[in-house]
Amino acid sequence: MRRIVLLGGGFSTDPDALLDDYALGLAGRDRARVCFLPTASGDSAAYVERFHAAFGDRAEATHLPLFSREPGDLREVLLAQDVIYAGGGNTANALALWRLHGVDEALAEAYAAGVLLCGISAGAICWFEAALTDSFGGADVLRDGLGLLAGSACPHYDGEALRRPAYEAAVGSGALPGGWGIDDGVAALFTGGELTEVVSRAPGAQLRRVEPAGDGGVVTTVPLAARPLP
C-alpha cells in the first residue's frame, strides 16, 4: 500500500505530539522503525537531536545524514523502515542532494514497497511534481519535485502571509498545476496517490484544494473537512 502523509506540524513546531502520533499510528507497529531525513536543514545537529528526543522513547528512531556520509547502503537503510520522515528547510537543496546520492530512487522504491513517507514543510511538498517554495529567498515556483504525488502543494498556507496569494497566483497563471494548500496544524493522508483522510490538531486548520478556474488567473479554493485529533 503506497501512502504519504503531509504534516502541517510535528515535533519541530508543535507543543503536542498529535500529528506525529497520527503518522506513527499508520505504521501499525508498537515501535515503528522511523528514519529522519534532515537534508533540507543541512543535517542540522539541533534538528536531529530534537527528532531523537521526540521519537526515541516510542519508536526505533534513526536518521540518515548526507553532509557527512556514513558507511552503508542508503537504499538498504531506507527500505528497512516503517516510516521515513523528511524534515523542513530548503526543498531545492534537499532534492538536489537526494538525486546526487540516489536517495530519490530509494524513496520511490520504499514508497512502492509500502514504507510510509511523511514530512513537514519542505518534507511535505517534496513528494509532489511541483510546489511553491521559499528555497530561493522568496515565494517561488519549483517544478522538479519527486513526482510521487500528482500536482503541486504549498505549506504554511495560513501561517505565512506571502504563501497563499503567491500559490493562488501561480496556479491561476498556470505556472503551477492545481494542488493543495496545507494549513499549519493539519495532516493529510494520500493512499495510492489519492487523498483519503484529513486530520487536524488545531481548530480551523484545513487542507484546501486549489484549482485554476478559467482565464484571468482566477482559482477556486475548496476547504476540506478535517477530523479533529483527540
Side-chain angles (χ1 to χ4, degrees), residues 28-111:
R29 290 170 57 102
D30 288 339
R31 283 186 62 83
R33 295 162 296 186
V34 183
C35 183
F36 182 50
L37 300 183
T39 321
S41 68
D43 287 350
S44 163
Y47 202 5
V48 170
E49 286 174 12
R50 288 168 71 186
F51 167 75
H52 283 286
F55 284 86
D57 290 339
R58 54 200 179 112
E60 294 182 24
T62 58
H63 69 280
L64 183 63
L66 292 183
F67 286 81
S68 55
R69 278 287 301 268
E70 297 175 355
D73 186 323
L74 300 183
R75 174 184 171 275
E76 230 174 67
V77 170
L78 293 175
L79 284 170
Q81 305 304 314
D82 299 305
V83 181
I84 296 171
Y85 194 128
N90 190 301
T91 314
N93 288 356
L95 290 168
L97 279 171
W98 288 350
R99 287 172 173 136
L100 181 64
H101 291 267
V103 172
D104 59 331
E105 295 177 354
L107 288 171
E109 192 174 350
Y111 177 55

Side-chain angles (χ1 to χ4, degrees), residues 8-30:
F11 73 92
S12 60
T13 62
D14 297 339
D16 56 55
L18 290 174
L19 295 183
D20 290 335
D21 285 345
Y22 172 72
L24 278 180
L26 293 170
R29 290 170 57 102
D30 288 339

Side-chain angles (χ1 to χ4, degrees), residues 7 13 67-68 75 100 121 128 130 139 157 163 189 193 208 214 217:
L7 299 176
T13 62
F67 286 81
S68 55
R75 174 184 171 275
L100 181 64
S121 194
F128 288 86
Y157 203 62
R163 296 276 189 170
L189 171 64
R208 295 174 172 86

Side-chain angles (χ1 to χ4, degrees), residues 143-201:
R143 297 186 180 87
D144 63 343
L146 294 176
L148 300 181
L149 294 176
S152 68
C154 175
H156 311 300
Y157 203 62
D158 67 335
E160 297 180 6
L162 295 179
R163 296 276 189 170
R164 180 168 183 165
Y167 184 57
E168 292 183 0
V171 171
S173 70
L176 283 174
W180 308 93
I182 309 162
D183 281 0
D184 294 336
V186 77
L189 171 64
F190 287 75
T191 305
E194 301 295 329
L195 180 68
T196 50
E197 187 174 37
V198 184
V199 299
S200 171
R201 61 163 294 277

